[in-house]
Amino acid sequence: MEVRPGDLEALDPEFLRRHAGWLTQVLHTWFRADIQGMEHLPSSPFVGVGNHSGGVMIPDTLVWVGAYHTSGRQPPMVVLAHDGMFDAYPRPLARALSKLSAIRARKELALEALRRGYAVQVYPGGDHDACRSFSRRNEIVFAGRKGYVELAREAGVPIVPVVCVGGHEALIILSEGAGLARKLGLDRRFRLKTFPLSLSLPWGLWLGPLPGYVPLPTKIQVRVLPPIFPEGEDIDAIDARVRASMQRAADELAKERRFPWIG
């Protein structure tokens, strides 16, 4: 059977071992990464739930995943990613991302990964979150999506909230363009909920998904929170508890930020 980019079988631990270190060093140096709370991570499979920012490049996700992969922690981690990363990106890049732990955002794949002993990192907000406007840069935006709770409950594993602040200062998103995305039918054709208007280097003002950009050297802070066990409450209540804990942490981190692009 052919192994496609985004399949579990496309993971390559040796490729990850060779390249995660230098890639993480570059990212952590450019973004002056500050990683907090790693002691809260379980040593057995879990669902990591995070917020992510910065449009197509999601630099805070890369900073966090790099920190995990180079920490020497167990279990190994995979990251759920949009189909566009595997189907629209150049084939060599899609293959490389697959080898570095990205898999397609499918429930059956996530469950299989958890059963095989992986941690699974998810970003429920999708492009609603990654493309929210700059004025909402410190908000936790899941857009009503709660599948991560069902995933953790079905697999019998805890939820670990992972809060990132700073990634949305790598470029400036002026408007999410959700209404325009609906009018263009992007949800039906490409599973895209936004069509953002952004300001970035080197493109300046740009409408729609960026083909990549030069991120501003913002400081990215990541805080891992204590696990939440998805038992004893309904899904709505657990989701509300997770989001509330993440928003509190994001607000605390945001208060510390004075000059994110310098110092």
Side-chain angles (χ1 to χ4, degrees):
M1 185 176 66
E2 179 188 3
V3 176
R4 303 178 305 154
D7 290 347
L8 264 174
E9 289 71 21
L11 302 176
D12 187 337
E14 178 57 24
F15 185 90
L16 179 63
R17 186 192 66 78
R18 292 200 312 269
H19 296 289
W22 71 266
L23 285 169
T24 300
Q25 184 175 10
V26 169
L27 287 163
H28 282 210
T29 300
W30 183 257
F31 293 114
R32 292 164 289 134
D34 174 23
I35 313 296
Q36 308 170 11
M38 296 281 279
E39 67 275 9
H40 295 308
L41 291 166
S43 57
S44 56
F46 62 88
V47 172
V49 59
N51 62 307
H52 63 347
S53 306
V56 296
M57 293 187 68
I58 49 175
D60 45 9
T61 297
L62 299 178
V63 163
W64 161 239
V65 173
Y68 189 91
H69 285 321
T70 56
S71 68
R73 295 195 64 90
Q74 291 294 326
M77 176 185 281
V78 295
V79 185
L80 302 193
H82 193 282
D83 282 350
M85 182 178 289
F86 308 106
D87 299 334
Y89 283 17
R91 195 75 170 180
L93 178 57
R95 288 198 188 99
L97 292 170
S98 296
K99 291 178 180 181
L100 289 169
S101 75
I103 66 171
R104 293 177 186 268
R106 307 281 170 78
K107 183 180 179 182
E108 63 272 17
L109 278 180
L111 280 170
E112 180 61 24
L114 289 164
R115 288 172 183 145
R116 292 190 193 184
Y118 288 93
V120 175
Q121 179 69 39
V122 303
Y123 293 95
D127 57 333
H128 280 293
D129 195 20
C131 295
R132 66 194 184 281
S133 66
F134 187 78
S135 64
R136 303 175 65 202
R137 62 191 178 277
N138 296 319
E139 288 186 26
I140 304 299
V141 177
F142 284 2
R145 296 169 179 171
K146 305 163 190 170
Y148 71 94
V149 181
E150 297 177 3
L151 174 65
R153 179 172 279 179
E154 188 168 339
V157 300
I159 297 166
V160 178
V162 180
V163 180
C164 299
V165 168
H168 227 49
E169 291 155 357
L171 81 164
I172 310 299
I173 295 180
L174 303 174
S175 172
E176 297 98 332
L180 183 57
R182 286 193 299 272
K183 289 179 181 178
L184 294 174
L186 299 181
D187 182 22
R188 297 189 304 276
R189 288 184 286 174
F190 305 111
R191 293 177 55 215
L192 293 176
K193 306 290 188 181
T194 62
F195 201 71
L197 178 65
S198 60
L199 187 63
S200 68
L201 296 175
W203 310 111
L205 200 62
W206 185 279
L207 181 62
L210 285 160
Y213 61 90
V214 178
L216 298 172
T218 176
K219 181 178 178 64
I220 290 181
Q221 297 167 277
V222 179
R223 182 177 293 177
V224 181
L225 304 181
I228 292 174
F229 293 87
E231 303 162 352
E233 298 176 275
D234 64 28
I235 287 173
D236 289 346
I238 295 168
D239 169 66
R241 188 149 57 97
V242 170
R243 287 185 293 103
S245 69
M246 293 179 69
Q247 190 61 66
R248 283 193 300 271
D251 292 342
E252 289 172 5
L253 291 171
K255 287 179 182 177
E256 300 172 5
R257 303 176 68 78
R258 294 182 181 273
F259 304 103
W261 293 289
I262 58 174

